[in-house]
Amino acid sequence: MLKKIAKKLFNFIKTHKFDIFIFLFSLAFSTWLMGSTFSYKDDQLLIKDKLYSDFSNHLSIIRSFSKGENWPPEYPHFPGLPIKYHFLFYLIVGILELIGLRIDVALNFLSVIGLAGLMISIYLLGKKITKSKFVGFGATLSVILNPSLSWIYYFLTGPNKLEKFTDLFTTKTFGSFGPYDDNLVSTFWNLNIFTNQRHFAFSLFAMFIAIWLIIYTKGRWKLIIAILILALMSWMHKAVLMMAFIVLGVFFVTFPKIRKRIIFSIIVGLIVSLPGLLYLSQNAGGFSNNIQEGAGLFIFDPGFLFKATTWWEMTPSSDLERWLIYWFLNFGLLSFCAIFGFIFMIITKKAKSKIFNSQTAWFWAALAMFVVANLFRFGPDMANNHKLINFTIFIWAIYAFYFIKMAFINLNILGKILGVIIAIGLLFGGFCDLFPIINDNMGATNDIAKSPKSQWIMQNTKPNDVFLNFSSDFTFVLLTGRKIYLGVPYFNWSLGYPVDARDDLVKAMIKESYPKDKFCDFLKTEDIQYFYTSRAETRMFDQPFDPNILIEKFGEGLEIENTNFYMTDNVCRVD
């Protein structure tokens, strides 16, 4: 019996050794990437510097479930209104921490599943479409090594230009971090997007599972599982859910034999996704994201981010020229190679010379995604459309490496050399972008056990309490699972919360020197249980701020580590 099992196992490994290699490579790389950018030691959260922005958001959501009391969910950076952020991934992490897993283990566990699953999905899809392991592996590398021409900023131009090639291996700075550093190559294609947005790869992985079950399998139960995944996606990642429906819409055209199955999946998927979409679109007055100007769900705004920088690098003569140059710099050779790969597919006998067929379906889906990303904005921040472009890159990489494979097979020695050069060109920008992540500084943030302020909050406040922070230091509050009244402005703005209206309320209190009756009415109306400040604070709302006025008005309060805490009930008590 054991011999038979051993023989079957040996034959399986022998037959699928390259598939097993891809599985192990994806798992090992994902484990290294996630573990090296976020870990835990001596009661401190160890976070790479490039992760701090998004982690302030995500860690606060996790802790609101594991340490706080956040049901029905509110956004920790903007309490008082229903949450607009797709929170399911971080809810699961919070539950894992609640039942005993350390926060880094819980978060990295799901993050590894997501990224490794995404890499394996791209490999299997590439192999499915082209019947080539080489193509699948090449496309998998595109998840790690993006096709952009970011290397131009490392070696040829810009403020981050390196003095010599070997400096690449020690640099901590991305050559281009557009549009935020005013460079044309956007930051959204490098691995920083997966280390920051841990839920993104996981959601893409889930999306590929759902589409695979709908398109490439048969049976009622597999279809039900796919539809359940779509339902969960509305709570996990709204943009990826939209991407799934775009893909299925394209496949309705390209897979005529299973149109009934596809249209059933779309209709039922939309129905079961509706509760999540409606919940995450709530405002105080109803179901709309239009709570502030520019926060609409569907806005015609063509061009993606090609107008988001000053174009110091060059001066094109028209917007069309700018748009074309922008995408050449961001896609490199990918678009050309993908188109050539697509052409090779439609001229092969297997494809029967049809433009729309099972092999080309994913090319059209990726093209549709690219078009949508360049025509519409789905909220205040156009940068959020990058998710659609990431999908386009991964899928077009399949067709690009198919072209390289066909060049190797059909061309002479010069063609083979050209194929190698093209392959390097497709991956070199991403190769350069690896080192700022590898070499990034690791910062340490005190967790609750090492923060006297956090310990006091845990021991003396309720899990659902809200703190008004007259201070830019609020991490110690969020790590306890409590919420802050004035969260990170960008997070709140990008989600469509009425940031200006809330800021104006607080500005009025500061300007009027906190008149007690009016201030107390404000605290009680906004359901704020505590407020705090620090004498070290000098600015708020990009204006001078004097914390001594607040302290002189209400006394020293409770001072912990140079931070003065006040309880609303004590300050507003009627004697």
Side-chain angles (χ1 to χ4, degrees), residues 212-512:
W212 190 284
L213 291 173
I214 294 169
I215 302 301
Y216 297 123
T217 68
K218 298 179 180 179
R220 181 183 302 172
W221 285 108
K222 292 177 182 177
L223 185 61
I224 291 173
I225 292 171
I227 291 172
L228 287 175
I229 291 174
L230 293 177
L232 293 174
M233 198 77 68
S234 64
W235 301 93
M236 187 182 299
H237 207 300
K238 292 180 287 185
V240 176
L241 175 65
M242 179 184 70
M243 291 159 59
F245 286 127
I246 291 173
V247 172
L248 290 173
V250 173
F251 286 180
F252 180 77
V253 176
T254 56
F255 288 90
K257 293 183 180 179
I258 55 170
R259 280 178 179 163
K260 289 183 180 179
R261 184 180 177 91
I262 293 173
I263 197 65
F264 178 83
S265 302
I266 293 172
I267 293 173
V268 178
L270 283 170
I271 292 171
V272 298
S273 300
L274 198 59
L277 294 175
L278 287 176
Y279 186 89
L280 296 175
S281 299
Q282 289 184 88
N283 290 325
F287 299 102
S288 171
N289 254 7
N290 292 314
I291 198 164
Q292 65 177 30
E293 184 179 356
L297 287 170
F298 194 74
I299 301 167
F300 182 70
D301 189 4
F304 190 54
L305 295 173
F306 87 100
K307 292 182 179 179
T309 65
T310 61
W311 280 81
W312 62 265
E313 298 95 336
M314 63 192 80
T315 54
S317 59
S318 67
D319 279 351
L320 177 59
E321 189 177 344
R322 282 189 177 89
W323 184 80
L324 292 172
I325 292 172
Y326 173 83
W327 281 117
F328 175 65
L329 290 173
N330 282 274
F331 273 8
L333 301 175
L334 178 67
S335 304
F336 305 103
C337 294
I339 291 170
F340 286 133
F342 169 81
I343 292 171
F344 268 114
M345 279 189 181
I346 63 175
I347 62 176
T348 59
K349 291 182 180 179
K350 285 185 179 181
K352 299 179 181 178
S353 300
K354 291 181 179 179
I355 294 178
F356 298 104
N357 59 72
S358 60
Q359 283 186 295
T360 62
W362 285 93
F363 178 91
W364 291 113
L367 179 61
M369 214 73 71
F370 179 76
V371 170
V372 170
N374 276 272
L375 288 181
F376 302 102
R377 175 164 53 85
F378 303 95
D381 192 1
M382 174 61 87
N384 288 328
N385 279 20
H386 75 81
K387 288 101 171 171
L388 286 74
I389 305 298
N390 291 118
F391 175 90
T392 298
I393 289 173
F394 303 151
I395 299 303
W396 276 1
I398 295 172
Y399 295 87
F401 277 93
Y402 182 73
F403 164 66
I404 293 172
K405 177 191 173 184
M406 298 304 291
F408 263 82
I409 293 174
N410 296 295
L411 300 179
N412 56 26
I413 187 63
L414 290 177
K416 290 176 171 58
I417 293 172
L418 180 63
V420 172
I421 294 173
I422 291 173
I424 293 172
L426 283 172
L427 303 173
F428 186 59
F431 174 77
C432 295
D433 286 338
L434 278 178
F435 295 99
I437 294 174
I438 295 171
N439 300 321
D440 195 17
N441 294 322
M442 182 73 82
T445 298
N446 288 337
D447 201 4
I448 297 169
K450 210 162 189 173
S451 168
K453 291 182 286 189
S454 296
Q455 290 181 39
W456 178 84
I457 291 172
M458 289 294 294
Q459 294 166 7
N460 295 279
T461 70
K462 296 178 182 178
N464 61 346
D465 279 344
V466 176
F467 286 70
L468 169 56
N469 48 306
F470 291 99
S471 172
S472 58
D473 182 12
F474 45 72
T475 302
F476 69 89
V477 177
L478 294 173
L479 287 178
T480 67
R482 279 61 171 175
K483 306 176 187 75
I484 55 173
Y485 188 73
L486 298 173
V488 176
Y490 170 75
F491 295 156
N492 297 333
W493 167 79
S494 66
L495 289 170
Y497 286 110
V499 181
D500 293 341
R502 178 163 289 192
D503 288 354
D504 288 343
L505 291 174
V506 179
K507 287 178 183 178
M509 296 298 110
I510 296 173
K511 184 177 180 180
E512 298 172 23

Side-chain angles (χ1 to χ4, degrees), residues 90-118:
Y90 299 104
L91 169 62
I92 298 171
V93 177
I95 292 172
L96 291 176
E97 186 184 22
L98 186 63
I99 64 176
L101 265 68
R102 206 171 62 190
I103 188 170
D104 65 317
V105 176
L107 181 55
N108 286 336
F109 172 67
L110 290 187
S111 302
V112 169
I113 290 175
L115 183 57
L118 172 62

Side-chain angles (χ1 to χ4, degrees), residues 25-275:
F25 169 74
S26 301
L27 188 62
F29 179 83
S30 301
T31 302
W32 165 78
L33 180 67
M34 299 305 174
S36 66
T37 52
F38 177 56
S39 57
Y40 196 98
K41 185 178 181 181
D42 298 330
D43 295 317
Q44 289 184 311
L45 301 163
L46 304 180
I47 308 171
K48 285 288 184 80
D49 285 353
K50 292 180 175 61
L51 275 65
Y52 267 96
S53 58
D54 281 345
F55 262 55
S56 175
N57 173 22
H58 299 148
L59 290 177
S60 68
I61 298 174
I62 294 169
R63 282 292 172 85
S64 75
F65 293 117
S66 64
K67 303 292 185 183
E69 188 177 289
N70 192 20
W71 204 265
E74 294 180 355
Y75 190 46
H77 287 261
F78 205 97
L81 290 175
I83 193 169
K84 292 175 177 293
Y85 194 80
H86 32 241
F87 62 87
L88 180 59
F89 178 88
Y90 299 104
L91 169 62
I92 298 171
V93 177
I95 292 172
L96 291 176
E97 186 184 22
L98 186 63
I99 64 176
L101 265 68
R102 206 171 62 190
I103 188 170
D104 65 317
V105 176
L107 181 55
N108 286 336
F109 172 67
L110 290 187
S111 302
V112 169
I113 290 175
L115 183 57
L118 172 62
M119 294 171 65
I120 294 167
S121 297
I122 296 298
Y123 167 75
L124 292 175
L125 185 60
K127 196 172 80 163
K128 176 76 173 178
I129 294 171
T130 67
K131 305 294 188 287
S132 169
K133 295 176 182 178
F134 166 79
V135 172
F137 179 60
T140 301
L141 289 179
S142 74
V143 178
I144 303 172
L145 308 174
N146 70 82
S148 75
L149 303 186
S150 62
W151 55 267
I152 291 174
Y153 293 91
Y154 288 98
F155 303 115
L156 299 181
T157 189
N160 300 322
K161 178 184 174 183
L162 303 174
E163 292 185 5
K164 55 184 183 296
F165 181 80
T166 53
D167 288 346
L168 176 66
F169 306 116
T170 57
T171 187
K172 298 178 181 180
T173 305
F174 286 113
S176 181
F177 201 75
Y180 307 109
D181 63 354
D182 200 34
N183 290 331
L184 285 172
V185 173
S186 293
T187 183
F188 306 112
W189 326 133
N190 62 59
L191 286 171
N192 201 51
I193 208 67
F194 293 124
T195 56
N196 275 269
Q197 300 178 24
R198 297 298 184 95
H199 60 306
F200 182 38
F202 192 92
S203 300
L204 286 174
F205 176 40
M207 181 194 74
F208 280 115
I209 291 175
I211 293 175
W212 190 284
L213 291 173
I214 294 169
I215 302 301
Y216 297 123
T217 68
K218 298 179 180 179
R220 181 183 302 172
W221 285 108
K222 292 177 182 177
L223 185 61
I224 291 173
I225 292 171
I227 291 172
L228 287 175
I229 291 174
L230 293 177
L232 293 174
M233 198 77 68
S234 64
W235 301 93
M236 187 182 299
H237 207 300
K238 292 180 287 185
V240 176
L241 175 65
M242 179 184 70
M243 291 159 59
F245 286 127
I246 291 173
V247 172
L248 290 173
V250 173
F251 286 180
F252 180 77
V253 176
T254 56
F255 288 90
K257 293 183 180 179
I258 55 170
R259 280 178 179 163
K260 289 183 180 179
R261 184 180 177 91
I262 293 173
I263 197 65
F264 178 83
S265 302
I266 293 172
I267 293 173
V268 178
L270 283 170
I271 292 171
V272 298
S273 300
L274 198 59

